Amino acid sequence: MTRIIADISVSLDGFVTGPDPGPEGGLGAGGDALHTWAFSDDPEDRRMLSEGTARSGAVVLGRRLFDVVDGPDGWNDEVGYGAAEVGTPSFVVVTSAVPERVRRADLDWRFVTTGLPDAVALARERARAASSERGKDLDVVLMGGGVTVRSALDAGLVDALVLHLSPVVLGAGTPLFTGAVPRTLVQRKVIPTSTATHLFYDVV
């Protein structure tokens, strides 16, 4: 069964970027520290990354995050979703306008201008198609940014939440939960590593 999984790195004080993120600023001041775990040699961190990308039949992201990952300092053959791990999934971008050009035209980008629920529905279709091709259940992963993940949680679109809690205090940036609709979470796993604490919840 295809599930909708929100999966995002967050600081101890609840931010998913540092101050001033953007295409040229990346994840903002200090924001790169949130993803230290993804480049770690810790075996458990490697397993988290491998298992997370292997389950991804489609990935949803917001336009601001797309502008970062497809920007001049964004993803390349060595750094990116699933790089050196698995074949890359479809990427569904929630946006008000389709970009005029895409730098990483080798990736399967789909742009949805009719809202987040439609983007998640398209991603579910893509994940189910990928599941049939690979012969195993694959999920939709909401990778961010923070507004996209929070909006999906608020709208009741998320089945599970995975937080990679990084041992860093950013002080400012993009908050994950400010003003969020109250939700009940059921804790399923907690995996501490040398660089992060990986938290797994079902959303009920």
Side-chain angles (χ1 to χ4, degrees), residues 109-168:
W109 298 106
R110 310 293 172 111
F111 297 93
V112 175
T113 59
T114 52
L116 182 57
D118 287 344
V120 170
L122 174 59
R124 191 190 297 272
E125 290 178 10
R126 300 298 298 161
R128 285 176 174 167
S131 297
S132 296
E133 291 173 5
R134 297 192 200 174
K136 65 176 184 178
D137 287 337
L138 298 173
D139 295 321
V140 173
V141 176
L142 301 175
M143 67 171 287
V147 172
T148 299
V149 168
R150 182 170 66 246
S151 296
L153 284 166
D154 289 351
L157 298 173
V158 177
D159 299 313
L161 174 64
V162 180
L163 297 178
H164 309 284
L165 186 62
S166 299
V168 59

Side-chain angles (χ1 to χ4, degrees), residues 10-203:
V10 62
S11 69
L12 289 176
D13 52 345
F15 295 102
V16 297
T17 75
D20 301 319
E24 296 183 1
L27 293 174
D32 287 346
L34 295 172
H35 297 278
T36 299
W37 71 270
F39 302 95
S40 166
D41 291 328
D42 187 298
E44 283 297 290
D45 284 329
R46 300 308 305 167
R47 185 171 68 84
M48 291 298 100
L49 184 65
S50 180
E51 290 180 356
T53 53
R55 75 167 182 254
S56 304
V59 174
V60 177
L61 61 157
R63 178 58 186 267
R64 289 183 181 179
L65 182 55
F66 166 79
D67 287 341
V68 171
V69 301
D70 198 57
D73 297 318
W75 289 348
N76 53 47
D77 291 339
E78 288 75 40
V79 178
Y81 196 94
E85 293 290 339
V86 295
T88 52
S90 297
F91 296 97
V92 179
V93 181
V94 187
T95 180
S96 60
V98 177
E100 294 182 2
R101 66 180 185 85
V102 175
R103 180 179 62 85
R104 290 299 307 270
D106 56 312
L107 300 178
D108 180 19
W109 298 106
R110 310 293 172 111
F111 297 93
V112 175
T113 59
T114 52
L116 182 57
D118 287 344
V120 170
L122 174 59
R124 191 190 297 272
E125 290 178 10
R126 300 298 298 161
R128 285 176 174 167
S131 297
S132 296
E133 291 173 5
R134 297 192 200 174
K136 65 176 184 178
D137 287 337
L138 298 173
D139 295 321
V140 173
V141 176
L142 301 175
M143 67 171 287
V147 172
T148 299
V149 168
R150 182 170 66 246
S151 296
L153 284 166
D154 289 351
L157 298 173
V158 177
D159 299 313
L161 174 64
V162 180
L163 297 178
H164 309 284
L165 186 62
S166 299
V168 59
V169 176
L170 293 174
T174 305
L176 181 56
F177 291 125
T178 297
V181 173
R183 292 284 173 196
T184 300
L185 306 179
V186 177
Q187 185 169 287
R188 294 304 185 194
K189 284 191 297 185
V190 177
I191 300 176
T193 71
S194 60
T195 60
T197 302
H198 306 281
L199 305 167
F200 295 78
Y201 302 97
D202 286 341
V203 181

